[in-house]
Each structure stands twice: as structure tokens, then as C-alpha cells.
Amino acid sequence: MSDREQDEKGEEVEKTTELAEATTELDGAGSTERRPPVEATAPRPAAPERADEPRLRDVGGALAGYLRGRAALLADLVRRHRGTTVALALIACAAAVLLGIALSRALSVPDEATVADGARTVLSTPEYSSGTYGTDTALVSQDIDVRGVTRSQTAPDGTDAQFGASGYATAEVVVTYSGQSVSASQGATLSFALVDGAWSVMPGVANEGVTWRATGGVDQNKVLSNVHLLLARADEADDTEPPLAELYAYAAVAIEEESFDEDAQTDTLTISCVRTEAFETYECLLSVTFSFSQTSGQWGVSQVEVSDGARERNLHALFGTWTGTFQSQQTDGGKCLAAREGGLTVEVLGASVGDSAVMLSGYVGGVAHYHANPAEDAPSCKGDVALGEVHFTARLESDDEGLVFVAELPEDVGGNAVLTLRFGTSEDPSAAVAEMRSEFTYDDAILFIPYERTATYVDSFTLRRTEQAVDPS
């Protein structure tokens, strides 16, 4: 008998012996459990124990012994056939690795870096229009957020199948761009194909639109260049004359205050408008609220408020003492030039601006001619009256070519006088002139027929301010 046959016969004998031992345990050949004597005072069980109930503890012990025997037999087989066992284990491991690789390839998707590179390839920077009030700027890509990637076995809708592709994927991305005072978020769906084990982005992209956000306020230079539009917007809600857009057409404008609210996407500006002429000033404050559109990326005007008194003249430039230098006289006969030496003094103390009238008040000093025309020009005449600090109230009669104020002086015994002040003329908007008109009524006769006659003298002066009044405001 060969050595191999002897080994096999020995193994069969061992197996037979182990099976016999296990069978003996199951047959209950071993010792039985002895119970202690029951005391008379011990409580009785709820039901009597059945004599034929299986002894679970003995059965469990027998089963445990049987399993130990099987385990020992298996260990012996592994020891005797160690080479074969190792080979089978290696084959199983290789199969598991190959299966894992296959599953990984079947379920793989492009990583974030690949998706980001694909987004940079197929997505273009959104076109940005700053509009009337926004800042002109270029947009630069800042961040690419990969929201999700999905694997598919067929080409995504709207794309053509790629030759040699073993799989496809779609990726949801949001690309953020930023510029000066503005940012944009562009959503898109990208398609990828797996060719020769590498993912590549496919042509075509499904854009989901651009959302804009203001990170800074409006362009202040643009706002100042378009103040006329803001004034016209204010005129739409107010039909009062004159229109603000016309009144402040050549005004000096400046931004006094700005408040940008990024959360609310609003920007509120306070703009001062000052129209300064030679002898009058207009001032107003515009409070303008701009709102930013997330869809267009542009600023729009949502509200305009105008300060009170925007159409009122400020006549402080007229306040003070003016000295008149005699220039000429107009009359229908011989001239009386007494005003050449006496001159004219006008002191403007105040002004009132109302809806129906604009008034100046003050005092005037000069010469009034309360006499008939002399036979020939004379340096002075009997009837010349010196006016010393006569109070006047002058009304604005015209503002087409400068400001023309007319005041009727209190009636005198010898006649009456009218003072006309002109601030600005058609020839020189900065010139100031005055006229003192004297009228004297007297009785005359022609062929012994009496009639009433009036002598009129108009003395003209150039005015120069010699003392500036303190601003009452």
C-alpha cells in the first residue's frame, strides 16, 4: 500500500472516530444532572414540569462539540492543502479587485477639477451693460461651484453621442464673476463623455441665466452728468412752473451724501444743485434712491424728492449799499443836471419771495426835479429836492433780461418820483443800473388858455456796491 493510500485511510479512521464521539454526546450517554431535594416550604411552580421536555442545555453542549469537531477538521484540511488554499484565496482577491474596478468605472463621474476646467472651456463671460448710472467695468471669473454630477449611459439630451464613449455625465455648476461694484452668478449644465478612461467636456451648454448683484453704489460721475434726468423725474410729479430741469439746467451740482445698502440693493444720494447768477441764486437738494436690478444688472431711479423752496430766488446778492454815478438825463426840454453832483444812494435791506410777487425793501437818497424845464441846460434849478433816506418797496416787474424792480416813492408836495433798479442787462448780465424818474405837474397857458402840463426828468446812474450786507440766514 502506498504512502498516499495510507494517509487517506488514516483520515477516514479519524473522521469515523469523531463522528462516533459526536453521536455519543447526542445520545445522552454522559452523566445526567441531579436536582437538589425540594423543601416543603418552597413555592410550587405554576405548572408541573413535563418529564419528556428536551434538555436544552445538553443539546447545546452536544451541538457545540459537533461544531468544534467540524472546525478542527477544516483546519486540518487547510494545513494539509495549504498551497491550494492560498491559490484559491489569491484568485478570489483578484476577482474582487477586478469587480471593484469594473463597478468603479461603471459608477465614476468627473471630479470637481475636471468639471471646473470644462466650465472654463465652454462658458463665456456674461456681457455687462452698466446703463445710465452704473460703473463701467470688466468682469473676471472668480469661483466655480460644482453643485452636483450625475452619471448616465446615454448622451444627455441635446448632445450628440461621442465616438468611443463608454459613459456620460452631466454637471450642475455656478460660476461667479466680479468687477468693480458688481458681481454675476451664472448657472449652467455641462455634459461630459468618458473616452479611453478620461472625461472630457462636450460641446454645447445649457445656460440657466445670470443673476447680478451690486457690491458697490452707483457711479457718482454718471449721476452728476445726468442730474437733468433726475430733475425731469421730479417734474413729472410736480407741474409747478418753472420746470426744475429748466431752472437748474446750468447749475453747479455736487453729491453731499451717499448711503449704499448692499442687503437691500439700494443706493441713496443727496445731491445739491446751485444755480448762481450775478444777482440771484437758486438752491435745492435732491434725495434720490436708486434700486439695483438682479436681472439686468443696472441701476434705476426708484424715488426722487426735492427740498422745499427749490424754485425760490435767493436775492442775498442784492443786499447791501449801492452808490450810483450819474450818467445821463432824458427830458423834453432843457436839462437840469443837479443829480450829477448829488448822485444816488440805494440801500437794500431785505427781500420777500412769494408765489405772487418778489419784493425788495430799503432806502434811497438822491435828487428829485419838481420844476418845469429850464430854457436851457442848467446845473441845478429851483424846485430840486434832495431825497434823504426815503423808504421804498420795489416790486419785481420783469426777469427776462436781468431783474427789474420798480418802486413808487411816497408822494411829495412838489411831485412824485419812481425808482427803477436793473440788476443785469442784455448787454452785460453783471451790470447794475438805476433810474430816478421825477414828474412835476404845473399850470401853463397858450393864447391865454390855461392847461395842465407835466415836466418829466429821468436820471440814469450806474450802481456799484460799496458795502455787502450780512447774510440774514
Side-chain angles (χ1 to χ4, degrees), residues 3 47 63 86 95 157 206 284 302 340 370 405 433 437-438 450 460 462:
D3 294 339
L63 181 59
V86 172
D157 295 339
C284 80
S302 59
R340 181 169 55 185
Y370 296 150
F405 292 89
V433 297
R437 179 187 180 94
S438 303
S460 298
T462 59

Side-chain angles (χ1 to χ4, degrees), residues 272-288:
S272 66
C273 302
V274 180
R275 172 188 167 184
T276 302
E277 304 293 341
F279 302 105
E280 63 179 336
T281 303
Y282 291 88
E283 298 182 7
C284 80
L285 289 177
L286 293 178
S287 179
V288 186

Side-chain angles (χ1 to χ4, degrees), residues 124-200:
S124 58
T125 303
E127 294 184 1
Y128 172 62
S129 176
S130 59
T132 306
Y133 304 106
T135 302
D136 296 327
T137 184
L139 298 179
V140 178
S141 175
Q142 292 292 319
D143 181 59
I144 299 177
D145 182 14
V146 180
R147 298 292 178 86
V149 184
T150 304
R151 175 66 182 260
S152 63
Q153 294 302 316
T154 59
D157 295 339
T159 61
D160 297 328
Q162 299 291 300
F163 178 77
S166 59
Y168 299 92
T170 57
E172 304 288 338
V173 299
V174 174
V175 184
T176 302
Y177 304 87
S178 66
Q180 183 180 356
S181 301
V182 69
S183 66
S185 297
Q186 180 180 19
T189 300
L190 311 180
S191 300
F192 292 83
L194 182 62
V195 180
D196 296 334
W199 289 101
S200 60

Side-chain angles (χ1 to χ4, degrees), residues 191-220:
S191 300
F192 292 83
L194 182 62
V195 180
D196 296 334
W199 289 101
S200 60
V201 67
M202 301 172 65
V205 58
N207 286 316
E208 299 175 3
V210 179
T211 301
W212 301 90
R213 182 173 180 81
T215 57
V218 295
D219 187 324
Q220 295 190 4

Side-chain angles (χ1 to χ4, degrees), residues 321-332:
T321 301
W322 299 81
T323 300
T325 301
F326 178 80
Q327 298 294 316
S328 64
Q329 184 185 84
Q330 294 179 355
T331 186
D332 292 335

